[in-house]
Amino acid sequence: MWNTPTKVQLDEIPKLYATDFIPIKYKKIFLHFFIGGCDWYVAEYDGDDRFFGFAILNDDFEMAEWGYFSFKDLKDIKVKGIVEIDCDLHWQIKRASEIERIVQCRCGI
């Protein structure tokens, strides 16, 4: 993984289920991972391996969804053994409703 998030960044993310009371459009997205046409947006973290957030795979906005994904699995993804997932260095924490790619999806907001 390129630009693996720091412990400080990971510690800022609310624990799993801590934001259940917040409507999806107001959930804050703390990290953004990407590769090609795939994006993972992180809203919650269990402090070990599991994230909750929004995933768009292969630019398929119709099938994109909110759910759980593994930090380890993201770190292990390699395309042709060379290209790895990247964590957006310039990401600014923002609400899900402020992220154009999430808003474009059928179930994003």
Side-chain angles (χ1 to χ4, degrees):
M1 173 178 284
W2 295 97
N3 307 312
T4 303
T6 65
K7 181 174 177 1
V8 171
Q9 286 174 300
L10 293 170
D11 287 346
E12 285 183 347
I13 303 169
K15 296 294 182 206
L16 287 184
Y17 314 111
T19 68
D20 277 358
F21 63 94
I22 298 174
I24 289 288
K25 67 182 179 179
Y26 297 119
K27 283 194 187 289
K28 289 184 181 176
I29 303 300
F30 290 84
L31 292 175
H32 172 225
F33 298 99
F34 63 95
I35 187 170
C38 301
D39 294 275
W40 294 265
Y41 297 94
V42 176
E44 297 175 352
Y45 179 49
D46 73 355
D48 179 39
D49 182 58
R50 185 169 289 204
F51 290 121
F52 174 78
F54 195 77
I56 304 166
L57 304 179
N58 298 316
D59 286 324
D60 188 347
F61 294 103
E62 183 76 17
M63 298 302 291
E65 64 184 354
W66 289 92
Y68 299 92
F69 45 95
S70 164
F71 193 17
K72 179 189 177 312
D73 288 349
L74 289 179
K75 290 188 242 181
D76 288 347
I77 293 173
K78 289 187 175 42
V79 177
K80 297 185 179 183
I82 301 169
V83 181
E84 299 178 17
I85 296 263
D86 198 353
C87 182
D88 191 339
L89 278 178
H90 306 288
W91 184 256
Q92 299 291 321
I93 298 168
K94 57 186 94 172
R95 291 180 176 157
S97 62
E98 298 173 311
I99 300 166
E100 184 177 335
R101 286 183 60 84
I102 293 177
V103 173
Q104 286 178 301
C105 297
R106 179 178 53 86
C107 70
I109 302 295

